[in-house]
């Protein structure tokens, strides 16, 4: 396992087998997978919400915004500006979706949400390679 480099990829298994990898080059593979999963979830939620903005019924848009906010919380990326932008409009959007049987966001609300989600998508896709690189 040591010769193949698998001990670096599976530190818990290496420890169980008595092959304790040491040094700063030992990747925290489970933490890496969790971070990549969280980033992917944020990207997927942003993309879905961006695609839903032009639709004619926005009944669940407040719920989707709440999920987007949760995704931002789970990622360990600088996201305070995005969270503040969501917080500033969330109550307004929530009220709209609760007061109408067929809620439709106003054009300025749709533009705001489209810009927000596009900013998040752009931010994620422009992350440095060392953050999103594949494991070799």
């Amino acid at each position: 396992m040591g010769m193949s480099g698998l001990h670096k990829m599976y530190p818990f298994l290496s420890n169980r087998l008595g092959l304790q990898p040491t040094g700063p080059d030992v990747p925290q593979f489970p933490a890496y997978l969790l971070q990549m999963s969280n980033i992917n979830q944020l990207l997927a939620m942003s993309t879905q919400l961006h695609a839903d903005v032009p639709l004619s019924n926005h009944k669940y848009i407040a719920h989707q915004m709440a999920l987007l906010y949760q995704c931002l919380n789970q990622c360990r990326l600088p996201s305070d500006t995005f969270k503040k932008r969501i917080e500033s409009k969330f109550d307004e959007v929530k009220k709209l979706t609760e007061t109408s049987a067929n809620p439709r966001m106003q054009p300025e609300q749709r533009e705001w949400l489209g810009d927000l989600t596009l900013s998040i998508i752009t931010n994620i896709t422009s992350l440095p390679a060392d953050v999103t690189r594949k494991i070799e």
Side-chain angles (χ1 to χ4, degrees), residues 1 7 9-18 21 28-31:
M1 202 166 157
H7 69 284
M9 203 169 186
Y10 301 103
F12 297 114
L13 178 61
S14 297
N15 192 2
R16 283 276 190 163
L17 295 174
Q28 298 298 319
F29 191 64

Side-chain angles (χ1 to χ4, degrees), residues 15-77:
N15 192 2
R16 283 276 190 163
L17 295 174
L19 306 170
Q20 296 184 355
T22 58
D25 65 331
V26 177
Q28 298 298 319
F29 191 64
Y32 171 82
L33 286 180
L34 180 62
Q35 181 66 5
M36 289 299 103
S37 173
N38 289 338
I39 290 172
N40 184 58
Q41 186 177 19
L42 177 60
L43 180 62
M45 192 69 231
S46 299
T47 304
Q48 180 63 52
L49 199 49
H50 188 76
D52 290 349
V53 169
L55 298 178
S56 61
N57 187 341
H58 294 122
K59 184 174 183 173
Y60 299 107
I61 211 84
H63 296 289
Q64 290 174 298
M65 286 174 60
L67 285 172
L68 182 65
Y69 190 87
Q70 283 297 87
C71 290
L72 286 165
N73 280 333
Q74 291 176 351
C75 282
R76 292 177 298 210
L77 300 172

